[in-house]
Amino acid sequence: MMNELTKDAMNMLASTSRTFLIPISGLVAGLKEAVASAYLCMRAIDEVEDHPNLPRDVKMELLTGISGTVEQPSRRDALQSLFEPYKETLHEVTLRLSDWIDLCPNTTVDRVLQGTAQMAEQMAEWVGRNWKIETEEDLDYYTYCVAGAVGELLTDLWKWYDGTETDREKAVAFGRTLQAVNIVLNRKEDQARGVTFFPDGWGMEEMGAYIRKNMEQADAYLAEIPPGPIYRFCSIPLALARGSLKAVAAGSKLKRADVLAIVNRVTGALKS
Ligand SMILES: CC(C)=CCC/C(C)=C/CC/C(C)=C/COP(=O)(O)OP(=O)(O)O
């Protein structure tokens, strides 16, 4: 039986994530709460970083404030005061950050909090520099901050759960792959708000090469995981990223039915 908090978390996942509801739902109890908690904590700060109507200084104040308080035992009150002036503006996933932390099993919550604090601090830095990306090194740092670090966190959660060992460096490349595909998918919207994640002089060709380089390592990461729920979890976003790239190349986007077809294909495949 699912408790109320787990139900709320799964509902929030359903409304915030196209990609991760299915893979997280397929995890075993315990690991499911840990990964759902990590997803929602990071989504909570991502919604601040990406917020369309919050001024830059407010985003920085909120992200720095979150980073400085999440690891403290008294965080619930501190976060409530931090969010209070913006409670009409912030997304519910952000306002309920303390609940998502409570969802995480005790024996691994510190790792999730460390990852959240680090990402919030680094997002504040990126907001401060207006996401200025000039070189491949800048892009690598950005994709590390918002996605590669998630790969590291997941690697630690697999180990925590049942001792499954996976490669940290390849996990970072896995995260970078997903993020770089998103950058391609969102290019027009990003341009419309005056932001570009393409380094100076880069077009689709260079970004395609960046994605391929990282995707090779993501494939290698997956190949090293034994069959089971962790393998299935990782295979879904990677297959969706591949499918999305194909769709973009053909000038379209994945529709809900395409997403389901891809998920069915990979979860029904041999290594399950
Ligand atoms: C080892 C391993 C599995 C590493 C991967 C780490 C990971 C999950 C990074 C997050 C990357 C990312 C771009 C999430 C948002 O995707 P989205 O916009 O497609 O998802 P959404 O539908 O949830 O918004």
Side-chain angles (χ1 to χ4, degrees):
M1 275 298 288
M2 268 203 245
N3 66 28
E4 280 305 311
L5 183 53
T6 306
K7 263 192 232 159
D8 282 4
M10 297 317 281
N11 285 334
M12 186 57 79
L13 260 178
S15 66
T16 52
S17 179
R18 190 194 64 164
T19 314
F20 292 100
L21 174 67
I22 297 171
I24 292 177
S25 303
L27 291 171
V28 255
L31 186 56
K32 186 195 314 207
E33 283 73 13
V35 177
S37 165
Y39 180 90
L40 290 168
C41 288
M42 288 172 172
R43 187 81 203 194
I45 57 177
D46 181 64
E47 290 288 340
V48 176
E49 187 208 8
D50 277 351
H51 203 290
N53 314 319
L54 282 176
R56 187 143 70 137
D57 57 333
V58 172
K59 288 186 179 186
M60 288 170 74
E61 176 206 332
L62 290 170
L63 289 166
T64 312
I66 292 169
S67 174
T69 50
V70 276
E71 289 172 287
Q72 293 168 10
S74 60
R75 66 181 159 260
R76 189 172 275 277
D77 291 342
L79 289 173
Q80 203 186 334
S81 324
L82 182 69
F83 296 155
E84 182 63 31
Y86 312 104
K87 64 171 195 266
E88 306 302 328
T89 312
L90 290 170
H91 192 292
E92 193 192 347
V93 74
T94 306
L95 294 171
R96 294 195 62 185
L97 176 55
S98 298
D99 289 342
W100 316 137
I101 296 167
D102 290 348
L103 176 71
C104 192
N106 275 331
T107 49
T108 197
V109 69
D110 288 348
R111 179 63 182 91
V112 170
L113 291 173
Q114 184 269 322
T116 305
Q118 175 185 314
M119 192 186 288
E121 185 188 348
Q122 293 176 334
M123 280 177 169
E125 187 187 326
W126 281 103
V127 172
R129 65 192 261 189
N130 204 23
W131 298 276
K132 197 162 94 166
I133 288 175
E134 293 171 335
T135 63
E136 178 167 355
E137 212 182 0
D138 294 338
L139 177 66
D140 260 343
Y141 181 47
Y142 182 71
T143 55
Y144 170 77
C145 294
V146 300
V150 185
E152 290 178 332
L153 170 56
L154 288 173
T155 292
D156 289 336
L157 292 181
W158 311 147
K159 172 95 164 92
W160 160 80
Y161 181 68
D162 65 358
T164 297
E165 298 265 11
T166 53
D167 187 284
R168 294 183 87 72
E169 242 178 82
K170 291 182 187 134
V172 171
F174 199 128
R176 286 197 165 117
T177 306
L178 302 184
Q179 188 62 34
V181 170
N182 268 359
I183 288 174
V184 169
L185 297 180
N186 299 334
R187 191 179 190 187
K188 288 215 178 78
E189 289 91 322
D190 291 334
Q191 271 167 348
R193 61 182 180 114
V195 176
T196 173
F197 297 95
F198 282 61
D200 293 348
W202 278 35
M204 277 305 296
E205 197 173 317
E206 290 77 8
M207 192 58 94
Y210 181 83
I211 292 172
R212 279 194 298 279
K213 177 177 78 178
N214 282 291
M215 201 178 259
E216 263 174 41
Q217 290 203 64
D219 285 332
Y221 180 87
L222 193 60
E224 288 166 13
I225 306 175
I230 297 174
Y231 179 88
R232 281 198 299 276
F233 175 94
C234 295
S235 65
I236 296 172
L238 195 55
L240 287 174
R242 266 208 175 81
S244 300
L245 274 185
K246 263 198 195 156
V248 180
S252 66
K253 271 197 166 178
L254 287 190
K255 291 170 202 64
R256 223 186 153 70
D258 304 321
V259 170
L260 285 178
I262 292 174
V263 170
N264 284 337
R265 177 167 54 74
V266 294
T267 54
L270 283 175
K271 200 173 173 182
S272 57

